[in-house]
Amino acid sequence: MNKVKQNDYEVLKNSFDAAAHKKGIHIYPLDIKTIHPRQSMRLKCLVPLCEYYGVCKTCPPNIPGVAEFKEALLSYSIGFLVVLQEKIKNIEIYQKDFSAELKLTDMVSNLELLAFQHGFYQALGLGVGGCKLCDTCTPQGEPCRHPFKARPSPEGFGIDITGLAREADVEVEWPPTQYVNFLGLVLV
C-alpha cells in the first residue's frame, strides 16, 4: 500500500492549496476509507442513459468497472476533493457553457501532475461528468486527443462524489438554485 508520510502529506496539501487558491478552487482532504464505490452510483450513467455513455473514452463502458476500481483504490492513501463553486445567475447556462467544468478538469489534471512531481507516481485525478475537451470524442480505435487532461468522472467508477462533498462539510444544494458545485477527486 502506498503510505503517505505526515510531512509528505503536509507538503502536498500546501502545494494543492496554493495551486487551487489561485483559481478560486477549494481542496478538502479525505480519508480514503470514506470512499465506497457502489454499482448503484455507476448505474446513473445508464438510467437515464447519459449522452456520454459508450461515446466518451473516459466514460463507461470504456473505463474499468466498480469492482476493479475498488481493488485499485486499496493502493491509495488519501483523497483530495476538488471543489469549484459558482453562484448561479441562470442554471440553463451550464447546459451549453462548459467553462466551469473545463476549469475544474484543468485543475484536476494539474493537481495530478503536481502529485506526480512530488513523487506520488500513482496519483489519479477524476473530474466532473463526461469529458468536454472536444466537441466529439475520437472514433473507437483512435487515441484520445487529450490523454493528459481527459479524466473519468468519479460516478463512472461508482463514487458518490456529492455524498463525499457533504461528508466533508461542503455546502451542496441539490437541486442547485443559488450556487452550483463542480466536484473532482485526486487520489494519492
Side-chain angles (χ1 to χ4, degrees), residues 39-52:
Q39 192 63 41
S40 61
M41 196 70 227
R42 183 175 169 133
L43 200 55
K44 292 302 293 175
C45 298
L46 288 162
V47 181
L49 184 63
C50 175
E51 65 185 291
Y52 299 100

Side-chain angles (χ1 to χ4, degrees), residues 153-185:
S153 72
E155 295 87 352
F157 288 123
I159 297 171
D160 180 358
I161 193 76
T162 300
L164 285 175
R166 286 179 172 154
E167 288 174 22
D169 292 327
V170 174
E171 218 173 305
V172 178
E173 284 186 336
W174 201 259
T177 56
Q178 295 181 15
Y179 55 88
V180 62
N181 289 301
F182 296 92
L183 306 170
L185 186 63

Side-chain angles (χ1 to χ4, degrees), residues 32-159:
I32 205 77
K33 293 178 182 128
T34 64
I35 302 172
H36 305 286
R38 297 184 325 268
Q39 192 63 41
S40 61
M41 196 70 227
R42 183 175 169 133
L43 200 55
K44 292 302 293 175
C45 298
L46 288 162
V47 181
L49 184 63
C50 175
E51 65 185 291
Y52 299 100
Y53 184 88
V55 176
C56 182
K57 293 189 183 326
T58 60
C59 288
N62 299 318
I63 61 173
V66 174
E68 193 173 349
F69 184 75
K70 272 185 184 179
E71 184 179 328
L73 194 57
L74 298 172
S75 298
Y76 295 94
S77 298
I78 192 164
F80 292 92
L81 182 68
V82 184
V83 181
L84 169 62
Q85 187 178 79
E86 290 199 344
K87 185 150 182 61
I88 296 173
K89 294 175 187 143
N90 177 356
I91 192 68
E92 281 138 28
I93 288 172
Y94 297 104
Q95 294 172 353
K96 295 179 182 157
D97 178 3
F98 302 121
S99 58
E101 289 184 49
L102 292 170
K103 182 177 178 180
L104 182 81
T105 296
D106 190 51
M107 180 53 60
V108 166
S109 63
N110 287 342
L111 293 175
E112 181 183 322
L113 176 61
L114 192 56
F116 181 83
Q117 291 169 339
H118 277 80
F120 298 98
Y121 59 89
Q122 288 185 322
L124 176 68
L126 305 175
V128 66
C131 182
K132 312 287 189 309
L133 293 170
C134 301
D135 289 334
T136 57
C137 204
T138 57
Q140 287 287 48
E142 289 186 26
C144 174
R145 293 180 197 102
H146 304 282
F148 297 106
K149 290 251 181 232
R151 293 293 174 265
S153 72
E155 295 87 352
F157 288 123
I159 297 171

